[in-house]
């Protein structure tokens, strides 16, 4: 509807209906799941409060699978709209994000907050708010619910951000990550300025002196189920924490070997495409290699990238096509 007051009334009615559903597989929830991401796009500030409340009630009522299906898009929309507005709207958006994580959609929410809609948003207010939200969610639910792997990919760029706001919040986020992941998170600081690392190290020292490992202050549904069943709370075992945090290292040579570029109606390998006389072939080869490295750490030990780097440097030095 074109009038925000009418939309607000609809959101309030929807929230009440979500809250009244008797079970997570209620047909009403399934029928309106596709509407939930649209709630995050509400542009009017007063109406936003009702829209975000409806998101929270859906997250509470629907089953985890249904919540995860819509959580990513919903979170991106709420962050872009809610974090750019008034404090009360931001708070309501954060509350809805918390309910999404509580419904076992922590990875989807973390991905949304670390996307271009969140920490990489050009609006500094939104970027800062996204980092704050990540830290708050991690402190509340822990690393078993909010994956350190997702957060770690966003940290280096944030620590080098041109604006002080995101940089300052990123430091606090890294300290919180260290509480949960320990020294296994330190590789994400590779390449970060020495003065920043030294500043963080003081906080890391305090974390190391803590006698007990951190515990979530709120459990997700899955964690509540494990507790009810008498199972121990899920933790990140120290011997596998680095694998959990960062995943496997990428061998660039292996990645390049898998690349195929269509040349003269044939699929040709990277080393042929990068030497092609046609600029669009060279561009396609480089784009494919860049795509393969997106969001992953590159293997640096026991590997020789001389030939690969030489081919890329040749393009940089001699390619005249913009």
């Amino acid at each position: 509807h074109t009038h925000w007051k009418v939309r607000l009334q609809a959101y309030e009615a929807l929230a009440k209906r979500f809250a009244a559903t008797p079970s997570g597989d209620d047909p009403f929830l399934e029928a309106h799941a596709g509407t939930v991401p649209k709630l995050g796009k509400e542009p009017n500030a007063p109406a936003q409060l009702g829209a975000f409340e409806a998101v929270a009630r859906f997250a509470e009522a629907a089953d985890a699978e249904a919540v995860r299906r819509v959580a990513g898009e919903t979170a991106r929309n709420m962050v872009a709209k809610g974090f750019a507005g008034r404090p009360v709207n931001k708070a309501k958006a954060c509350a809805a994000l918390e309910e999404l994580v509580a419904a076992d959609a922590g990875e989807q929410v973390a991905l949304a907050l670390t996307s271009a809609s969140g920490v990489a948003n050009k609006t500094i207010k939104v970027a800062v708010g996204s980092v704050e939200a990540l830290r708050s969610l991690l402190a509340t639910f822990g690393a078993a619910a909010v994956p350190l792997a997702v957060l770690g990919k966003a940290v280096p760029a944030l620590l080098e951000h041109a604006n002080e706001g995101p940089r300052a919040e990123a430091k606090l986020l890294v300290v919180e990550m260290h509480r949960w992941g320990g020294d296994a998170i330190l590789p994400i600081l590779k390449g970060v300025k020495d003065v920043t690392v030294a500043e963080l190290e003081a906080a890391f020292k305090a974390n190391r002196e803590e006698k007990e490992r951190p515990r979530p202050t709120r459990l997700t549904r899955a964690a509540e189920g494990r507790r009810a069943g008498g199972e121990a709370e899920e933790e990140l075992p120290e011997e596998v924490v680095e694998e959990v945090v960062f995943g496997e290292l990428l061998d660039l040579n292996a990645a390049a070997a898998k690349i195929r570029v269509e040349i003269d109606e044939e699929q040709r390998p990277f080393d042929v495409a990068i030497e092609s006389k046609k600029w669009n072939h060279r561009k396609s080869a480089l784009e494919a290699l860049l795509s393969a490295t997106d969001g992953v750490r590159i293997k640096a030990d026991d590997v020789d990238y001389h030939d690969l780097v030489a081919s890329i440097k040749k393009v940089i030095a001699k390619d005249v096509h913009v």
Side-chain angles (χ1 to χ4, degrees):
H1 199 280
T2 57
H3 201 292
W4 70 266
K5 289 185 178 180
V6 177
R7 295 198 303 274
L8 175 57
Q9 291 176 350
Y11 299 149
E12 291 173 341
L14 189 61
K16 290 180 181 179
R17 185 66 178 82
F18 283 155
T21 51
S23 65
D25 59 356
D26 189 280
F28 184 83
L29 293 169
E30 182 63 30
H32 291 80
T35 302
V36 175
K38 300 176 184 178
L39 299 176
K41 292 183 176 181
E42 172 56 53
N44 179 270
Q48 266 183 20
L49 300 177
F52 295 169
E53 179 69 15
V55 170
R57 300 293 76 79
F58 175 84
E60 286 181 336
D63 61 39
E65 183 179 352
V67 175
R68 282 193 289 267
R69 283 202 305 267
V70 301
E73 183 181 358
T74 304
R76 287 193 298 272
N77 293 340
M78 286 197 300
V79 167
K81 292 291 186 180
F83 284 16
R86 304 177 303 177
V88 65
N89 293 72
K90 176 186 173 184
K92 182 65 76 171
C94 287
L97 291 174
E98 186 170 320
E99 294 306 324
L100 291 172
V101 176
D104 298 305
E107 181 175 1
Q108 289 76 12
V109 171
L111 286 168
L113 285 166
T114 54
S115 71
S117 299
V119 300
N121 198 296
K122 293 182 179 180
T123 302
I124 297 301
K125 189 177 183 180
V126 175
V128 171
S130 298
V131 186
E132 290 175 340
L134 285 169
R135 177 167 56 89
S136 176
L137 292 170
L138 178 59
T140 300
F141 293 99
V146 183
L148 295 180
V150 176
L151 277 57
K153 293 172 184 177
V155 162
L158 285 168
L159 290 174
E160 300 296 325
H161 201 285
N163 187 280
E164 170 60 23
R167 289 201 308 272
E169 284 301 326
K171 293 173 187 176
L172 296 176
L173 174 60
V174 172
V175 173
E176 185 64 30
M177 291 174 63
H178 187 267
R179 285 184 65 231
W180 295 92
D183 287 351
I185 75 150
L186 297 183
I188 66 174
L189 301 179
K190 186 177 181 180
V192 175
K193 295 176 182 177
D194 292 342
V195 64
T196 301
V197 175
E199 183 180 346
L200 290 169
E201 184 57 38
F204 294 162
K205 182 179 179 181
N207 284 345
R208 296 185 189 106
E209 292 173 354
E210 291 290 333
K211 295 182 180 180
E212 296 184 2
R213 299 186 68 177
R215 300 281 181 179
T217 58
R218 182 178 178 185
L219 300 179
T220 64
R221 288 186 203 167
E224 287 177 345
R226 289 192 296 270
R227 173 176 286 186
E231 298 180 35
E233 291 182 23
E234 186 177 357
E235 294 184 352
L236 293 178
E238 292 186 9
E239 64 271 19
V240 299
V241 68
E242 184 164 358
E243 180 181 348
V244 173
V245 172
F246 300 109
E248 297 182 1
L249 297 176
L250 176 70
D251 184 329
L252 271 184
N253 288 330
K258 296 178 182 178
I259 292 174
R260 293 293 182 270
V261 176
E262 185 174 338
I263 299 177
D264 297 330
E265 299 183 353
E266 292 186 17
Q267 296 296 318
R268 307 302 297 274
F270 175 86
D271 56 350
V272 173
I274 198 71
E275 297 285 348
S276 174
K277 294 181 179 180
K278 295 186 177 181
W279 69 268
N280 56 319
H281 296 158
R282 301 192 298 272
K283 180 174 180 286
S284 295
L286 291 170
E287 286 179 339
L289 184 63
L290 181 62
S291 177
T293 63
D294 186 31
V296 299
R297 289 194 305 157
I298 297 173
K299 186 177 182 181
D301 299 325
D302 302 321
V303 63
D304 184 1
Y305 293 132
H306 179 271
D307 292 343
L308 180 61
V309 172
S311 65
I312 297 173
K313 288 175 67 176
K314 185 184 295 185
V315 175
I316 296 173
K318 296 184 178 181
D319 211 311
V320 296
H321 197 281
V322 175

